[in-house]
Amino acid sequence: MAKRVYQVWKGNNRFICGGRLIFGPDARSLFITISLIVIPLVIFCVFVARHLLHKFPTYNAGYAILVVAIAFTIYVLVLLMLTSAQDPGIIPRASHPPEEEISHDSSILDSTPSNQIPRFKEVMVNGMPVKVKYCDTCMLYRPPRCSHCSICNNCVERFDHHCPWVGQCIGLRNYRYFFFFVFSAALLCIYVFAMCALYIKFLMGGDYPTVWKAMKQSPASVILMIYCFISLWFVGGLTGFHFYLISTGQTTYENFRYRADIRLNVYDRGCLNNFLEVFCTKIKPSRNDFRAIVPDEPPQPPPTIRPQDLEDDSGSYPRSKVQDDLSISADLSMISQRHNIDEFDEEIGGKSPASIPSIAPESKLALVLDTQLPLMTADDEKLVMNLNQSRRIDSFGILHERSSSQDGSLKDEKGEVC
C-alpha cells in the first residue's frame, strides 16, 4: 500500500487529520496553554461578568462585557492554533548531498567528515556576503536566516525559536500569527484585569464601602487580578521584546547568538519596512505536501558478474591476484627444482655442486626424467606437489645450516694462515 509523506516523515513532528495539521513533538503542552486561557475566562464569566450584565442599563451595555470577553478568547485560541498547527517553514530534506559541492581534496579542514563537503559557503544578501552552513542531517546548505531545530529535527526558514507553550517552531510562515497571539493574550489580560477592578469598584459603591470588604465579597475578582497581573509580565514583556526585534530586523535566534558580535545586520531594511515585511507581505506557501503519495523506489537489478571477473572456488580474491599467485608459485617451484637437483647430486656423488665440472641443462634433465618415469595421474601430481613443498622447506633449512658451517670453516682457515 502506498504511503503518504507524513507517514514516512523523518522529523519529530506529529500529524493529525491525515497530515493536514502538523505539530511539534511537545504538542501536549498545547493543552496546558489552552487551559491557562480557558479556565480563567470561565471564572471571569461566572463570577464577574455575570454580575456586570445589569450595571449598564443603557442599551444593555453590560452584555457587551461578556460577549467581548468570549469573542476575544476565541480569537486568541484561533491564533494559537494557527501558530501551532501549521508548517512553520520547514525546508524539505535532500535525498543525497549536493554533488556539485563535493570536493575530493583531502586538505580541506573545515568540511564534513563523510564527503569532504565544505562546511560553509558564501551567498549575497542585499549586496552583502553572508555565510550559509551545510546541514549534515538535511544534506543541504541552509538558506540565509535558516537554522536546524534540534527539537523538531527540521531546518526551518527564518527560524526564530522553538516555543514550548505552543509546541511548535516559530519560523517564516507562523511568526505573524505568533506575534498576534502573544499581543492578543496581553490585551485579554488587561481587559479581564480592568473588568475585575471595575466590579470591585461597583461593590465599593454599594454595600461594601471599603476595598477589603469588596475583595472579601468577590474573591474570584482578586484571584483573576493577581493571575492577569503575573501573566501580563510574561506575555506583555514578550510582546515588547518582539516589537523591538521586528523594528530592528532581527529574530530571537539572531539576537541571542550574535548579540556580542559587532557586525552589520544585512536584514535590517528600516523600521517601517521591517514591520511591513512581517505583517503586510503574503505568506509563502508550504514547501511540503504532507498528503502527497510517496513514489515507490524502483528495485535495483542485481549486479552482473562478468566471466573475466570470476575467481577460483573461494571467490574472495580478484582475478589479477590469482595470476600473481600462480606466477610466484612457478618461480618458487623452479628454485625448488634447482635445490633438489643439487641435493640429488650430492647424495649420489658425495661431492659438492662446485666440484662437478658440468651439469646437463635442465631441459635435458627433464627430458631424461620424462622418458624414465611413467605417466602420473591427477592424484599422483597432487601428492608430488605436497612432497615438493615439504622438501623445499627442508632444503632451505639445510642450505642455511650449510652456509653457516662454510662461513665458520673459512674463518678457521684464515686463522691458520695468519
Side-chain angles (χ1 to χ4, degrees), residues 2 36 62 82 91 108 121 133 165 172 209-210 219 223 255 285 334 343 349-350 361 373 390:
L36 293 175
L82 288 175
I91 299 178
I108 298 178
K121 74 174 184 179
K133 188 177 181 180
W165 296 101
L172 177 67
T210 62
I223 294 174
N255 180 265
M334 292 178 62
E343 292 179 1
L373 296 175
S390 61

Side-chain angles (χ1 to χ4, degrees), residues 10-84:
K10 295 182 180 180
N12 299 331
N13 303 90
R14 297 182 180 181
F15 298 87
I16 62 173
C17 299
R20 293 178 177 86
L21 301 179
I22 174 175
F23 297 89
D26 50 352
R28 293 181 179 179
S29 61
L30 190 62
F31 295 102
I32 300 176
T33 305
I34 294 174
S35 301
L36 293 175
I37 297 172
V38 173
I39 293 176
L41 174 74
V42 173
I43 296 174
F44 173 76
C45 293
V46 173
F47 296 100
V48 178
R50 182 171 60 89
H51 299 288
L52 295 175
L53 294 178
H54 305 288
K55 296 295 181 179
F56 301 94
T58 307
Y59 304 107
N60 292 324
Y63 288 92
I65 297 174
L66 183 62
V67 172
V68 170
I70 296 175
F72 210 73
T73 303
I74 294 174
Y75 174 68
V76 171
L77 294 176
V78 170
L79 290 174
L80 175 62
M81 294 305 298
L82 288 175
T83 303
S84 179

Side-chain angles (χ1 to χ4, degrees), residues 50 160 197 218 268 283 292 303 350 362:
R50 182 171 60 89
D160 190 85
S218 178
D268 187 5
I283 297 177
E362 293 178 2

Side-chain angles (χ1 to χ4, degrees), residues 101-122 131-136 141 257:
E101 301 291 343
I102 296 178
S103 174
H104 300 285
D105 185 6
S106 60
S107 62
I108 298 178
L109 299 179
D110 195 6
S111 61
T112 58
S114 56
N115 293 319
Q116 295 294 332
I117 298 177
R119 180 68 66 182
F120 298 94
K121 74 174 184 179
E122 287 189 353
K131 284 186 177 182
V132 294
K133 188 177 181 180
Y134 179 78
C135 180
D136 293 319
Y141 281 99
R257 182 171 182 178

Side-chain angles (χ1 to χ4, degrees), residues 353-397:
S355 63
I356 300 176
S358 64
I359 297 178
E362 293 178 2
S363 59
K364 293 181 180 181
L365 181 59
L367 181 60
V368 173
L369 293 174
D370 291 338
T371 56
Q372 293 178 358
L373 296 175
L375 295 175
M376 293 187 297
T377 62
D379 295 333
D380 294 335
E381 290 178 357
K382 292 181 179 179
L383 181 60
V384 171
M385 289 178 64
N386 295 331
L387 292 174
N388 287 336
Q389 290 180 357
S390 61
R391 292 188 62 187
R392 187 187 319 160
I393 295 172
D394 295 337
S395 63
F396 284 149

